[in-house]
Amino acid sequence: MIAPFKEFFIDFQRCIGCQACVAGCAECHTHRGSPMIHVDKVDPAVSPQTVPMLCMHCKVPTCAMVCPADAIKQDENGIVHSSLKPRCISCSNCELACPFGVPIVDQKKQQMQKCDMCFDRTSAGKKPMCATVCPTGALFYGTMEEMKRLRPHSKPINKWRFGKQLVETRVWVMVPLDVEEMVVDWPELLKGVEGPVDFAMKLKERFQLEGFVDPESNEPLPFNMVNDTKDTEAQFL
Amino acid sequence: MHKLVETIRALRHELDGRSLFFATIATLLLAAAIVVGSRNLFDFDSALIGYCFASLFAAFGLVYRYSVWLSKPPTRKYWHRGWQLCFSPRLWKNLRSPRILAEAVTRKIVVQDFIWYRSPQRWLGHFLIAVGCVLAAAITFPLVFGWVHFEQGQIEPTITYIVYVLGFPVRELDVKGAEAWVALHGLIIASFLVIPGVMLAMYRRMVDQGAAAVQRFGRDLLPLILLFAVAFTGLLLWVSYEFLHGYFYSALAQLHAWTVIGTLIYLPFGKLFHIFQRPASLGISYYKAANADKEPAQCPVTKQGFAPKMQTDDLKEVLAELEFDYSGKTDADPAWNEVSPRGRRILIGRAYSKMRHGKFD
């Protein structure tokens, strides 16, 4: 018997980037061992902001529409599932088309996996892993009434605008009371803000200048202060 | 009567004319091949007529579904690209195209190594079922269609059977010989492959909590039950004639026939359609091989390559066909699918920050 599904809410402003959700996500039985939630640093040069991203379970899922193998299915609860294993051919169309950058394609397994809102747990009446472990309530699973009572200064919306494309989702996102839809105006957003790569390049130059990084080998020098950083920035160094 | 007319009208609306045409042609071609191959039904085994009609129905359904599937914009795109790249002169240099095909067929169709990476137990189960089914199909269909039949050969000094293929005698088998044993027990060998395979799959579906959570009866369990029913009732026939002097044989033969007919009829509708769908994934191998040495599309956010340029371009066309509009404000702007998945997530974070005016309350 499938338990009734509740609503999922994301409150981006509450994310502290602790990655507890990432660790919890990997416990989900439908994709054991590999986390499907993404936590990205947005502009590490200027802000500590992090953004958790899980499947928004679009009402008309772009991933399913662009799947040539017809492998991505939405169930009667509005949950969009990982690719059907006999069909998925790991072409990566879903990965490239998802407006939220969610699906993960494993080329070796020839299979796309994504957040299915912890179907093993939610179908049994439990909360998804990420919502269970999130210490700040950035990820919340419950009823609309609960959410409205808990966060009277924000409101949940499920409409996103990517340029001219309107996307309605099953998952809600918490916004200020006067906002009606999440607008992602990327041509504007691309202007002037440093990306992680620009930032990493700057860091690298600075470390080289200050003698933390050997300019020849690009290896960190002994007694440096960057050795234990396993940050997103460091990945680019 | 009125209701029936309405239903037919509604069906006509729902059915795809082009696919109906292809399915009809395919069914007629198969019927013609049966008539010609069995020498105007001279060699046709009328006891197998039920199997034959079920096969014709399956052929119709499979081609219809395949054709509808191919009409989906992304499928059509990859289908055309696959063929185009397969014959592209660039990939024929040093005979690269046939080498790509040979590797893809070996890995994806024969060995199915991707299932091994999903789980070795799963691979074993699937491999046993796949080999068993291919073996059984290779024996059953030629017999059903009257393309292969056996006739009594000599009686002295040893009894022999003569194998006729399309009406021509091709081989005389000593009934007591090893070759005849293998030929006449092929379906039993197939059962001994399919049954353990089905058991492994069923066991996995019982103990794997992830699989148990998302499986559906019609989609995941029914095909296993059907395969088991076919293999098990087939084995009962063998037990009957080998050990029980044909006890209850005709009833068992009926039972077996119904399980096979049921499976054939189910073929176009359920999970087993992947047998026919899967080979199309060879086109993806060409797509990947053709783009492996090309400059990838660069993400404007992470400034890194993230996908074949051909794919982001194709995807733009497919999205437009599907009436999605993820284009930028001007032509100079990248489309949303020309930003890498990570870049998109970062930009969503920026959009949120902008909406909150850079302050969180």
Side-chain angles (χ1 to χ4, degrees), chain A residues 1-2 5 28-32 75 81 85 116 118-124, chain B residues 122 200-221 224 271:
Chain A
M1 184 64 201
I2 288 190
F5 282 77
C28 178
H29 284 297
T30 55
H31 49 83
R32 273 173 312 260
D75 71 18
H81 286 267
K85 294 181 189 81
D116 57 5
C118 281
F119 196 79
D120 56 331
R121 294 175 58 82
T122 43
S123 61
Chain B
R122 197 175 184 153
L200 277 172
M202 281 285 195
Y203 177 72
R204 194 185 74 82
R205 294 204 165 273
M206 281 192 272
V207 298
D208 183 323
Q209 295 183 42
V214 294
Q215 71 195 2
R216 299 275 170 114
F217 179 80
R219 191 181 68 198
D220 300 308
L221 298 178
L224 289 175
K271 192 177 204 169

Side-chain angles (χ1 to χ4, degrees), chain B residues 19-40:
Chain B
S19 304
L20 275 180
F21 173 74
F22 285 133
T24 311
I25 294 289
T27 314
L28 290 176
L29 281 178
L30 179 60
I34 292 170
V35 173
V36 174
S38 61
R39 294 192 297 153
N40 215 6

Side-chain angles (χ1 to χ4, degrees), chain B residues 323-337:
Chain B
E323 297 181 353
F324 282 111
D325 187 358
Y326 287 109
S327 57
K329 271 184 198 155
T330 63
D331 288 345
D333 297 326
W336 191 227
N337 71 292

Side-chain angles (χ1 to χ4, degrees), chain A residues 13-14 18 20 27 38 51 61 67 69 74-75 81 90 95 126 139 142 145 151 155 157 161 172 209 211 232:
Chain A
Q13 63 170 344
R14 286 178 170 241
C18 70
E27 299 289 323
H38 307 267
V51 50
C67 176
Q74 186 179 38
D75 71 18
H81 286 267
S90 68
E95 207 177 37
K126 295 178 185 168
L139 307 167
E145 291 70 39
R151 317 246 171 108
K155 80 169 179 195
I157 57 162
R161 188 167 289 286
W172 302 85
L209 262 176
T232 322

Side-chain angles (χ1 to χ4, degrees), chain A residues 158-198:
Chain A
N158 68 342
K159 290 189 175 64
W160 291 71
R161 188 167 289 286
F162 298 95
K164 283 161 244 159
Q165 184 63 47
L166 181 73
V167 176
E168 264 191 83
T169 62
R170 189 193 189 284
V171 171
W172 302 85
V173 55
M174 302 305 290
V175 295
L177 292 171
D178 58 341
V179 174
E180 292 305 322
E181 54 183 27
M182 271 290 292
V183 179
V184 184
D185 182 12
W186 70 93
E188 281 303 309
L189 296 167
L190 280 170
K191 284 178 197 159
V193 190
E194 279 183 310
V197 173
D198 308 318

Side-chain angles (χ1 to χ4, degrees), chain A residues 57-133:
Chain A
H57 299 284
C58 303
K59 299 209 167 154
V60 181
T62 313
C63 60
M65 300 293 279
V66 300
C67 176
D70 219 0
I72 305 171
K73 296 289 168 195
Q74 186 179 38
D75 71 18
E76 56 278 20
N77 306 296
I79 311 282
V80 183
H81 286 267
S82 287
S83 66
L84 293 176
K85 294 181 189 81
R87 295 195 191 174
C88 183
I89 51 176
S90 68
C91 69
S92 296
N93 256 11
C94 49
E95 207 177 37
L96 297 176
C98 168
F100 301 98
V102 165
I104 299 175
V105 175
D106 186 328
Q107 293 294 346
K108 240 178 148 182
K109 292 183 186 169
Q110 286 201 22
Q111 185 187 348
M112 176 279 273
Q113 288 185 309
K114 57 181 268 304
C115 152
D116 57 5
M117 222 193 257
C118 281
F119 196 79
D120 56 331
R121 294 175 58 82
T122 43
S123 61
K126 295 178 185 168
K127 288 182 177 193
M129 267 293 179
C130 57
T132 313
V133 298

